[in-house]
Amino acid sequence: KAGVTQTPRYLIKTRGQQVTLSCSPISGHRSVSWYQQTPGQGLQFLFEYFSETQRNKGNFPGRFSGRQFSNSRSEMNVSTLELGDSALYLCASSLEGVGVSGANVLTFGAGSRLTVL
Amino acid sequence: QKEVEQNSGPLSVPEGAIASLNCTYSDRGSQSFFWYRQYSGKSPELIMSIYSNGDKEDGRFTAQLNKASQYVSLLIRDSQPSDSATYLCAAKEPGGYNKLIFGAGTRLAVHP
């Protein structure tokens, strides 16, 4: 069973540019969450999507946005990049359910490492 | 501000010893807790989940939860050099669907 796939794995951008990151969840997983990981702030929640709807959002500026498609694949976008946006962006998927083995447990992808110059 | 606190370490233990990792959380409403292991340059991978007070064992790993004390721990028995990694404790935010609040992580070093 394929895991969570994130693309691209590495990218370099300059300040002011925008970036789009992609995430394909584990087959059958309908929840996709995004996290930002930096050495100073650790892992911080960005947002979660389920059935194409954002159902939770972290404390990030509006420059950070995302969406989910009907096949559960998700994208996140960061506009007007700042140096501080350099981070590892992690996508995680989970299986929804009550009493279902392994449900509601996040499985992370390998991440997209963004460097902003 | 909901928080999960961990000692950043490094926690250094000899090979074969028991490593004890600890975590406290601030939101008394949290019901679900997770331990993730993250090797340098890699993404977090789930080690254990725990939802009820008491101990949960899986191979060399034992997670312990005490909701009254708002305390979660992870014991690694017979520690191996391959266990050297950062261990992240996470609590699911009540009503936050799958939103996890992560601690800063404890770096574990197992030396031969």
Side-chain angles (χ1 to χ4, degrees):
Chain A
K1 194 173 189 180
V4 179
T5 303
Q6 291 189 244
T7 57
R9 290 291 315 282
Y10 303 91
L11 63 166
I12 300 173
K13 294 285 187 179
T14 57
R15 278 179 298 174
Q17 287 187 311
Q18 73 165 16
V19 66
T20 299
L21 310 177
S22 179
C23 172
S24 293
I26 292 172
S27 178
H29 287 197
R30 294 164 61 196
S31 167
V32 174
S33 303
W34 289 89
Y35 288 79
Q36 181 197 64
Q37 188 174 32
T38 60
Q41 298 297 318
L43 266 161
Q44 292 189 294
F45 173 78
L46 281 157
F47 25 65
E48 181 191 3
Y49 288 87
F50 179 78
S51 290
E52 302 179 66
T53 301
Q54 185 185 89
R55 64 180 185 182
N56 205 346
K57 188 178 189 305
N59 296 323
F60 280 82
R63 301 184 296 107
F64 291 81
S65 63
R67 59 177 174 169
Q68 186 181 35
F69 302 95
S70 59
N71 61 358
S72 295
R73 190 178 71 85
S74 177
E75 289 181 347
M76 67 162 283
N77 183 275
V78 187
S79 63
T80 318
L81 285 166
E82 301 177 359
L83 295 179
D85 297 333
S86 295
L88 179 65
Y89 289 89
L90 291 160
C91 169
S93 73
S94 67
L95 180 66
E96 293 289 300
V98 177
V100 176
S101 176
N104 308 113
V105 173
L106 299 191
T107 300
F108 285 89
S112 292
R113 185 166 295 281
L114 170 65
T115 301
V116 182
L117 302 176
Chain B
Q1 179 82 1
K2 297 163 187 174
E3 293 183 339
V4 173
E5 301 281 347
Q6 294 182 256
N7 188 321
S8 62
L11 173 66
S12 182
V13 301
E15 184 174 357
I18 295 176
S20 178
L21 305 162
N22 306 312
C23 165
T24 59
Y25 59 96
S26 64
D27 192 335
R28 191 170 285 279
S30 293
Q31 299 294 321
S32 304
F33 303 89
F34 306 86
W35 283 99
Y36 283 85
R37 176 176 64 196
Q38 187 172 26
Y39 292 111
S40 181
K42 302 294 186 182
S43 63
E45 58 177 324
L46 182 71
I47 298 295
M48 297 278 285
S49 59
I50 187 165
Y51 310 104
S52 304
N53 277 329
D55 295 358
K56 179 182 177 183
E57 187 174 321
D58 184 0
R60 296 186 296 112
F61 299 94
T62 299
Q64 300 173 317
L65 173 60
N66 184 324
K67 291 184 180 179
S69 300
Q70 295 176 242
Y71 177 89
V72 192
S73 67
L74 180 70
L75 300 178
I76 306 175
R77 290 181 299 282
D78 188 24
S79 295
Q80 301 297 309
S82 58
D83 294 326
S84 298
T86 296
Y87 289 80
L88 299 162
C89 174
K92 186 168 287 189
E93 184 178 86
Y97 298 102
N98 286 318
K99 178 181 178 180
L100 297 184
I101 308 297
F102 281 88
T106 297
R107 193 154 53 92
L108 173 67
V110 181
H111 53 87

